[in-house]
Amino acid sequence: MRVLLIEDSKRLQTSVGRGLRKAGYAVDVTGDGREGLWLGESNSYDAIVLDLMLPGLDGLSVLRGLRAKHNPAHVLILTARDAVEDRVRGLQTGADDYLVKPFAFDELLARVQALCRRSYQRKNPVIEIGGLHINTAARTATRAGQLLDLAPREFALLEYLGLRRGEVVPRADIEAHLYPDATDLMSNVVDSAVCTLRKKIAPTTIQTRRGAGYILE
Amino acid sequence: MNSIQRQLTFRLVALSCLLWSAGSLAVYFAVRAGLVAEFDRTLTAKAQSLAALTSQKDGEVEFDFNPTVQHSVLRDAFRLWFPDGTTYDYTPGTEKIDLPKRVGTFDFRVPSGATGRAVGIRFTPVEDEESKKHARVEATVVVAGSRRELDRRLRLLATTLLLVGAGLAALTGIVVPRIVRQGLQPLAGLAQRAATIDAASLQLRFSTDALPAELQPIAGKLNELLARLETSFTRERQFSADVAHELRTPIAELRALAEVALKWPDDAPATKRALEDALAVALQMESIATALLNLARCESGQLPVRREPVALAPLVKDVCRNLPINVSVPSDATWDADPALLRVILANLVSNAVDYGQSARLCVEAGQISVSNTTDNLTADDLPHLFERFWRKDPARSSSTHTGLGLALCKAYADALGLDLRVELAHGILRFELGPAAASLRAR
């Protein structure tokens, strides 16, 4: 899952960015509205966390710019403005959620998770595939009550494939959503990650469709 | 309760009743005097005609009066005293009237109770040639008429006046309150409109055009007051929102730092960074709280202000230490001020000049301290906002070193010191000038 954090407070950038990364998200961070809009338009994010008071371009304008180009990313507004009219204006401009500062990090994480699930039309936080339970809220995977030992990145890959189960997921999508740093076209980071994950979730299989991508069934 | 409407009504009704009564009395007495004079003239004429009937012939007085011929004309009683003392009495009715021998007009009353009025004249009967040789003799005639008709007319007049007076008084009592109420309608309207104003409807204004001239200044003043109230309410509301925002952001930072660090405590370097950040946030919040507290103290007049000679050169040197600012201070410049407050003012001005502009410059001359810097993102419209609490040109409050309270604090401190802090913008140079507002400065 790939998240964009547009927030002008350096300390929130550091702490929230670190928290989201620790939770297994690929996170891009910017403190400038214009740069945020540019990033949001050029990458495909599952969720965008957006502050309203931003230098360069204010949050609502960023949101308007994204929605004007039919950007499907789910947007959570994170702001100190708590007046009802501010919330209403934010949601009516096209935001999917609104969280007022100060906030609990766990709540922010839960809301971001919910937004990411919604990106794949899933409302149930638990995905079940042939005896394998993927809990997207607790960020754990279990088989017959047994917890599988997965690194956050591995879980994120499993979650992503699980959210798009039964569907051939192109490698480029996986790279864009989970490994944005892997810019090298010849990189085999996805292949090796899938390979590791396969061993850990056996007997559930991830099939490779040559030239198309991967499918979890 | 004291009410203009009630007082006006009472006074107007009382005054019109008084005026009407006085007028009625004047009319009554004038008409009565006229009627009585007319009555007296008639009686006098009758007496004179009776006198004309009296004549002297060869020293004898004769009275040529025939009641059967003249009584239809003469309905009044009379008594004639001849020079020899004998009398001639005539009464039209049956009652005998004992008229007194009196000259002039007078009222009298007969035993039956009826009143009358009489005229007595003394005259010399018409003399022939023979009589003129004798001594002059005099006779007296008194003619009396009943006052019944006269009194009836006077009573009618009095009754008419009384009735009309009562009617007019009643009419006044009905009409005056209405007129007064109608006249005071604009006042009542103003009061009614004013009663609807509360903190939520301060944008309301009175339309002065439709008001009478007397109320226009009141409505105008009220409008001014409302405008000022609205401005300060808006400012207060903005300030509350700003305080909320300014405090929420660092609290959010603290909370996120702590929560993330607690959630993944194993990463020691990250936890250390988080703690360092938390400390910085705490210091920033402290400076906001201190500034707010000082502002509040200053505004409520609780700030202790000392007065002592302050040498400007060392103070400025200390404030500008290690900062990229061009300083020019005469070594002997001394101000009479509170050194702590003056230091805060200078430190804030210098820090703004250094952080928000280029070519910062501090200059002391002609009894003024001026701090200037070049700026390219401020306009003349921004100047009035510069001293507002939490005002920033860019609403994104990215700076953590400036609380947004510095200039507000400078202004408040300058006021407390009796100094004037002005700002001007010319040719891209923003210039703050601190100088004496009153005679509090002694530049030596």
Side-chain angles (χ1 to χ4, degrees), chain B residues 51-204:
Chain B
L53 292 177
T54 319
S55 58
Q56 296 180 52
K57 217 170 256 174
D58 305 333
E60 288 295 311
V61 175
E62 284 179 3
F63 182 50
D64 184 17
F65 176 70
N66 186 351
T68 53
V69 176
Q70 278 149 331
H71 104 273
S72 62
V73 187
L74 196 66
R75 272 172 305 170
D76 305 306
F78 71 88
R79 177 180 268 185
L80 182 69
W81 283 267
F82 294 103
D84 57 0
T86 57
T87 60
Y88 182 92
D89 274 306
Y90 170 80
T91 43
T94 47
E95 193 181 2
K96 170 117 179 55
I97 303 167
D98 188 23
L99 287 166
K101 187 181 178 184
R102 205 168 133 184
V103 174
T105 55
F106 57 92
D107 288 317
F108 71 93
R109 183 180 288 272
V110 294
S112 70
T115 55
R117 195 162 171 83
V119 171
I121 56 169
R122 190 170 288 143
F123 64 96
T124 306
V126 181
E127 294 166 303
D128 60 359
E129 290 303 313
E130 182 60 30
S131 302
K132 277 179 186 163
K133 293 167 189 166
H134 298 278
R136 279 167 70 96
V137 291
E138 280 189 331
T140 305
V141 67
V142 172
V143 182
S146 168
R147 281 188 61 121
R148 197 192 298 144
E149 181 63 16
L150 178 65
D151 286 344
R152 199 184 60 77
R153 281 201 206 164
L154 286 176
R155 264 198 310 279
L156 183 69
L157 176 65
T159 315
T160 310
L161 286 174
L162 263 177
L163 283 178
V164 171
L168 278 177
L171 203 66
T172 313
I174 295 168
V175 170
V176 164
R178 289 197 180 178
I179 291 177
V180 169
R181 204 178 311 131
Q182 214 165 11
L184 292 178
Q185 195 64 51
L187 199 62
L190 197 69
Q192 212 170 19
R193 222 164 139 63
T196 61
I197 298 173
D198 58 16
S201 60
L202 287 174
Q203 74 288 354
L204 195 129

Side-chain angles (χ1 to χ4, degrees), chain A residues 9 53-54 82 101 105-106, chain B residues 248 253 259 263-264 270 395-396:
Chain A
S9 157
M53 294 225 197
L54 292 168
D82 67 334
K101 295 177 188 171
F105 178 75
D106 284 340
Chain B
R248 272 213 183 93
E253 289 172 357
E259 283 182 349
K263 210 170 164 74
W264 292 280

Side-chain angles (χ1 to χ4, degrees), chain A residues 5 12-25 27 105 108-109 139, chain B residues 256 259-261 263-264:
Chain A
L5 174 62
L12 279 180
Q13 284 180 7
T14 321
S15 54
V16 173
R18 177 177 168 232
L20 288 174
R21 276 188 202 103
K22 284 274 185 188
Y25 289 96
V27 185
F105 178 75
L108 175 69
L109 191 59
R139 311 200 68 69
Chain B
E259 283 182 349
V260 171
K263 210 170 164 74
W264 292 280

Side-chain angles (χ1 to χ4, degrees), chain B residues 307-359:
Chain B
R307 291 228 168 260
E308 58 185 68
V310 182
L312 291 185
L315 178 66
V316 167
K317 200 175 153 200
D318 197 28
V319 163
C320 299
R321 180 169 294 151
N322 298 331
L323 288 176
I325 183 166
N326 189 343
V327 176
S328 120
V329 191
S331 57
D332 57 348
T334 308
W335 275 20
D336 198 21
D338 186 312
L341 299 190
L342 195 57
R343 171 186 289 271
V344 172
I345 296 176
L346 292 182
N348 272 302
L349 292 180
V350 166
S351 136
N352 279 341
V354 170
D355 290 356
Y356 290 136
Q358 295 82 42
S359 322

Side-chain angles (χ1 to χ4, degrees), chain B residues 264-285:
Chain B
W264 292 280
D266 302 335
D267 187 347
T271 306
K272 182 167 176 287
R273 269 202 309 280
L275 282 175
E276 285 165 359
D277 278 349
L279 178 64
V281 176
L283 290 175
Q284 185 199 345
M285 288 179 79

